[in-house]
Each structure stands twice: as structure tokens, then as C-alpha cells.
């Protein structure tokens, strides 16, 4: 292809006995460059990789910049630009990958599914919506579904949101700083005056406990991935002028809500049968991660029961907040206990579609 730039993408290590070892992967990269490839895009992994095929899209337990050292080594052996890929969505990690000379370019996969505005936001120094590396996007696609994302409720249905606008010029109280409340506040913060009330001393809600469970979606959990997401969502809210009031429960002091035009209930779900304290106790002490118990917590039937049947939405507890002239919007698990993807998607719908 003399008139076209050719980027040759290759996996340089298969991670299974009998598969391609790195020494051979690097040789292929060298041959490809010698044969005229204009750039090399270096990844790793194979559908037969061990311990699992998930490594092709390194899930949250894997470190940032998972394959960068492969790219750096290939770069030492070729004279064409090298593109690195794989968990490079942390802006500092991405910048360092290029600044250190390990790669000439970085490629982003899941990061751009979670945050299509990544390039623009990073250029402006604005906080980003982090990909969790939960692999729900790819796992659902492999199951035949269209693409979707746990943290980006518009992914795969962008046209539904195109040209639509949510509330403007309102004073909005969001009750609950879990993933749904933070998502809603981050999206409406710029065009409204928004206060988030959180009963606990810190943000995170259900994600603080999800981080302590053995599995998140279909991957092994890593608490820092969820904590980093929460931290940047809070930062995104604050950058859009959202005020946070922690350790404050307006249902106990309803006067706090008097100045607001709209109350958004993002109060999550509660466990039935008084089992909430026990589940939180198990998670807080990392007992759910202990061998044996972790297997029990990873059992699909138990996980489904914990998500859907053992919990119920809390919205009805707040019926007394209904007042003439005040709008009440219910999002996330507060409406119906379920999984994070649906909870966050409902926050996008409430924030961006006409009310
Ligand atoms: C939804 C989705 C589809 C993908 N499809 C392909 C594909 O067809 N071929 C391929 O080589 N890699 C594919 N990838 C892998 C990405 O190119 C990339 O290597 C991987 O996601 C790791 O980068 P990331 O950590 O930035 O997501 C896909 C990734 C995602 C999220
Ligand atoms: S579904 Fe999970 S892995 Fe995929 S882009 Fe969204 S947050 Fe990232």
C-alpha cells in the first residue's frame, strides 16, 4: 500500500503455554517494520490466555499501563513509531507513557467508551469519568448485545440523547452521593444550582461496598478502581459548581430542602429483613473476600439475590418530601434495586432528557 499509511497492530505475547512468546512477538514486530509498516500498535493477550482471556482488555485487578513495557521494548528494536494500548486512561499515566519515550502514541479503548470527551477534558485539565475496567462493555457485546457502559449511560444509544436538554436554571438538591447521585449532579451542575446531601462522611454509596466484594460485574474487584472513579466524579461535580454537604440528612432536617425547586432522590437501596448491617459488616472487614466465602459471594444466584431480591428501593420512604410546586425525581437504586449500570443509566436519562 505505497500511498497509504499502514499501522500494523499485533499481540506480542499470548500468555499460554504453546502460544506466541514475547521473543517471537518482538521478532514479528521487527519484520513488520522492515517490511514497510509505518507504525506498530503493540498489544498482548489471546482468547486462550491464562489465567483468562480477559487479559486482552486488562480488567481492574491488572495494573495501569499493563502492556507498556512490551511497547517500550519493541520501540528499542524498530525505527517506526510505536503505539501503546491497555489501561492507559489515567491522564498522568498516558502523558508519562509518551514523555518517558516508552511509546510514541497511546491508544484508548474502554476509556473513550466511558468518557468520549476524554481528549478535550484532559486538554482543559477537567476531571474525567473514569473507566472502571469492569469489561461489561465487551462481555455484553460478546453475548450479542450492543455496546453499553456501566458509567456512561449514553454509550450505544447516543442518538437518544442528541440535542436533548435536562433541567436549567433550577435549584436542585440531590440526596445521596453514590454513583447515580454523583452522575446526575455532574451532568446538571453547570446549568443549575446543585447541592448534594450525603448522610455519610464521604461520597461513594454502593460503590464503596462494591469495591469490597470479590466480584464486580464479571471481573475480580479492585477497590482502587472504584475509589478513583468516585474521587473524579466528585471533582467533576465540584468543577461544575456543585456543593457537597456530607454527614447531613435532610430527611431528618427537612427545612434544609426548603430553598430547592427539585429534589432528586438518589438514596439507593436498603437490605430487607434487617440484613444490611450484616452484609456491610462482612464487606467492611473484607470477610467477603476470604477464600470459600469469596466463592459463595461470586455465585451468580446469590449475587442476583443480593442485588435484586434482598434489597428494595428507598424512594417511598421520602414521600413526605412531596410538596406542591416542588419536583421530585427518583433515580438509581432508590427507584428499584438493581445493578450499577441501570442505576447510572437512569441518572443520565433524568439529567439529560426533557423532564
Ligand atoms: C468494545 C470493544 C471492542 C473491541 N474490539 C476489538 C477488536 O475487534 N479487535 C482488537 O484487536 N481489539 C479490540 N478491542 C480491544 C482494544 O482495541 C484494546 O486493545 C483494549 O480495549 C485495551 O485497551 P483499553 O485498556 O484502552 O481498553 C476492543 C475493545 C472494546 C472495549
Ligand atoms: S463498561 Fe466498564 S470497562 Fe467498559 S468502558 Fe464502561 S466502565 Fe470501562
Amino acid at each position: 500500500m505505497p500511498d497509504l499509511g499502514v499501522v500494523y497492530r499485533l499481540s506480542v505475547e499470548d500468555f499460554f503455554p504453546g502460544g506466541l512468546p514475547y521473543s517471537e512477538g518482538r521478532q514479528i514486530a521487527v519484520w513488520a517494520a522492515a517490511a514497510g509498516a509505518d507504525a506498530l500498535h503493540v498489544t498482548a493477550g489471546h482468547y486462550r490466555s491464562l489465567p483468562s482471556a480477559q487479559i486482552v482488555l486488562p480488567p481492574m485487578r491488572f495494573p495501569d499501563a499493563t502492556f507498556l513495557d512490551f511497547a517500550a521494548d519493541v520501540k528499542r528494536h524498530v525505527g517506526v513509531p510505536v503505539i501503546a494500548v491497555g489501561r492507559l486512561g489515567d491522564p498522568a499515566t498516558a502523558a508519562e507513557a509518551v514523555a518517558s519515550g516508552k511509546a510514541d502514541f497511546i491508544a484508548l479503548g474502554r476509556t473513550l467508551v466511558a468518557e468520549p470527551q476524554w481528549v478535550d477534558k484532559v486538554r482543559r485539565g477537567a476531571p474525567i469519568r473514569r473507566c472502571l475496567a469492569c469489561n461489561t462493555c465487551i462481555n455484553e457485546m460478546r453475548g450479542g448485545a450492543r455496546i453499553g457502559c456501566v458509567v456512561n449511560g449514553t454509550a450505544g444509544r447516543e442518538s437518544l440523547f442528541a440535542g436533548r436538554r435536562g433541567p436549567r436554571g433550577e435549584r436542585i438538591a440531590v440526596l445521596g452521593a453514590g454513583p447515580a447521585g454523583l452522575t446526575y449532579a455532574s451532568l446538571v451542575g453547570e446549568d443549575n444550582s446543585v447541592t448534594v446531601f450525603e448522610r455519610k462522611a464521604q461520597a461513594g454509596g454502593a460503590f464503596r461496598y462494591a469495591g469490597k466484594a470479590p466480584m464486580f460485574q464479571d471481573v475480580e474487584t479492585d477497590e482502587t478502581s472504584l475509589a478513583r472513579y468516585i474521587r473524579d466524579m466528585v471533582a467533576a461535580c465540584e468543577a461544575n459548581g456543585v456543593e457537597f454537604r456530607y454527614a447531613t440528612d435532610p430527611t431528618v432536617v427537612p427545612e434544609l430542602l426548603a430553598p430547592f425547586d427539585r429534589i432528586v432522590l438518589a438514596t439507593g437501596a436498603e437490605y430487607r429483613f434487617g440484613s444490611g448491617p450484616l452484609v456491610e459488616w462482612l464487606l467492611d472487614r473484607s470477610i467477603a473476600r476470604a477464600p470459600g466465602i469469596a466463592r459463595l459471594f461470586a455465585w451468580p444466584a446469590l449475587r442476583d439475590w443480593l442485588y435484586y431480591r434482598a434489597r428494595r428501593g428507598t424512594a417511598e420512604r421520602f414521600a413526605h418530601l412531596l410538596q406542591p410546586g416542588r419536583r421530585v425525581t427518583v433515580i438509581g437504586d432508590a427507584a428499584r434495586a438493581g445493578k450499577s449500570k441501570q442505576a447510572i443509566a437512569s441518572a443520565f436519562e433524568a439529567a439529560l432528557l426533557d423532564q
Side-chain angles (χ1 to χ4, degrees), residues 110-111 113-114 130-138 148-152:
R110 293 163 295 176
T111 290
V113 178
R130 299 254 183 178
C131 164
L132 302 171
C134 66
N135 286 5
T136 306
C137 46
I138 192 76
C149 171
V150 168
V151 299
N152 177 8

Side-chain angles (χ1 to χ4, degrees), residues 106-172:
I106 57 128
L108 302 171
R110 293 163 295 176
T111 290
L112 294 179
V113 178
E115 175 56 279
Q117 305 302 318
W118 190 93
V119 173
D120 181 46
K121 288 186 177 174
V122 170
R123 186 189 289 131
R124 290 190 278 118
I128 50 162
R129 186 166 52 238
R130 299 254 183 178
C131 164
L132 302 171
C134 66
N135 286 5
T136 306
C137 46
I138 192 76
N139 290 341
E140 287 184 352
M141 280 182 82
R142 284 182 183 142
R146 64 160 63 183
I147 193 161
C149 171
V150 168
V151 299
N152 177 8
T154 69
R157 48 180 194 153
E158 290 79 0
S159 54
L160 177 66
F161 294 91
R164 305 291 295 270
R165 21 194 310 183
R168 279 176 178 245
E170 293 186 14
R171 290 161 302 174
I172 302 176

Side-chain angles (χ1 to χ4, degrees), residues 53-66:
Q54 297 260 19
I55 194 169
V56 177
L57 288 83
M60 58 174 86
R61 281 304 260 192
F62 285 78
D64 276 358
T66 319

Side-chain angles (χ1 to χ4, degrees), residues 54 59-61 134 139 206-207 209-223 226 283 288-289 293-300 303 306-307 339-340:
Q54 297 260 19
M60 58 174 86
R61 281 304 260 192
C134 66
N139 290 341
F207 268 16
Y209 287 102
K212 296 171 193 295
M215 302 283 288
F216 183 85
Q217 300 291 91
D218 288 331
V219 303
E220 207 184 325
T221 310
D222 179 58
E223 225 175 326
L226 293 147
L283 292 171
R289 287 242 181 97
I293 298 193
R295 266 203 300 281
L296 187 68
F297 266 79
W299 183 37
R303 290 177 72 204
L306 282 170
Y307 280 124
K339 291 199 170 179
S340 319

Side-chain angles (χ1 to χ4, degrees), residues 15 54 147 187 220 265 277 286 303 342:
F15 300 118
Q54 297 260 19
I147 193 161
L187 294 170
E220 207 184 325
L265 294 175
S286 298
R303 290 177 72 204
Q342 286 74 26

